[in-house]
Each structure stands twice: as C-alpha cells, then as structure tokens.
Amino acid sequence: MNGTDVGDVPEEQHGLRLLDYLRDVSGLTGAKEGCGMGECGSCTVVVDGRALTSCLVLVGQVLDADVRTVEGLEAAGHAALQEAFVARQAVQCGYCIPGVLNSCSALLDREADPDDDAIRRALDGNLCRCTGYNRFYDAVHDAACARRTAPAGADAGESS
C-alpha cells in the first residue's frame, strides 16, 4: 500500500470493504465515503494502476495488489498534480478531491498528455457538487506539462 508492504492481512479482515480497511485499520483517511454504492467516486483509490471505488472492493480481492491512496500520490510522482490543483484553485469543499486526484493520477500514469476527452472519461464517476470540473481539466493539463518538462528522474512538483 502506497509502496509499502503491509504484510499479511488477518483473514477476518478479508471481508472488509477496502474503504473501511484504509480508514479504520490503516488510518489512511483520505478516501471519503460518499454514497457507499460506487456512484460518487469520493472513495476512489488506484489498484494496480486502475482507479476503483474502494467502497465496492473487498480487502480479500486486493491482497496482492498495489494500492495507492491520496496519501501516496507524492511518493508516486504526482506532487505536480497536487500542486496544479492548488494553483488552479480546483479544490473547493474538498470532499471529492482525494477520489478526483486518484482518478487523474491513474490517467496520467497511462497517458502523458491526455486530451479533454480522456480527462472526461477518467473523471466519469467522480462527482463534484461544487462543479469544479473545468479547473480539474486545467490542473491535469498543467500537471501533464510539468511532468513532460521536468528533468529525468525529478518530480516536477518539487520546488527547489
């Protein structure tokens, strides 16, 4: 999880929703419970490179998977994305942002320079009641540009 081996998960926890495991067992509270039915995307995390709603995934389904939460974005090279969201004032109430950031980071891992249609598809299922979608698009474009122009091996989001 977030690049760290969590070891063996006790069998009695295999039936927990990943969201509950992250928040209640691991203390990673970035993923939020919104609808609890996989419709709002506020609990989105990245599992083996795919953005998934953690309220619909059981721990037993991801025992050997690479799970990334919003807490692991910087270490995964997505500081530029986080900084772009701040710079573009894409964070309003903030409730949806962990899920939105995870969906966008999974997109940027797949596509170095996504267009608006790719961003729209990546955000399908992430609801923002503040309707900051245009700023999300701008921030993703900024982050993609920063990542392309960063020196090899450097995180474009780190300031010097």
Side-chain angles (χ1 to χ4, degrees), residues 110-128:
R110 292 188 313 271
E111 297 185 35
D113 189 19
D115 61 17
D116 285 349
D117 285 340
I119 297 169
R120 185 176 305 111
R121 286 191 304 273
L123 290 174
D124 186 29
N126 288 97
L127 301 180
C128 172

Side-chain angles (χ1 to χ4, degrees), residues 33-105:
E33 176 149 15
C35 67
M37 298 183 296
E39 297 291 328
C40 73
S42 61
C43 66
T44 300
V45 296
V46 180
V47 178
D48 288 337
R50 295 180 47 217
L52 299 176
T53 49
S54 61
C55 69
L56 297 180
V57 176
L58 298 177
V59 170
Q61 295 175 296
V62 295
L63 290 175
D64 296 322
D66 177 29
V67 177
R68 185 174 69 215
T69 68
V70 72
E71 290 89 348
L73 283 179
E74 183 176 1
H78 288 289
L81 179 62
Q82 294 172 302
E83 291 180 7
F85 267 68
V86 172
R88 289 290 186 165
Q89 298 180 347
V91 179
Q92 294 184 24
C93 84
Y95 201 82
C96 68
I97 293 301
V100 169
L101 284 169
N102 279 319
S103 292
C104 292
S105 71

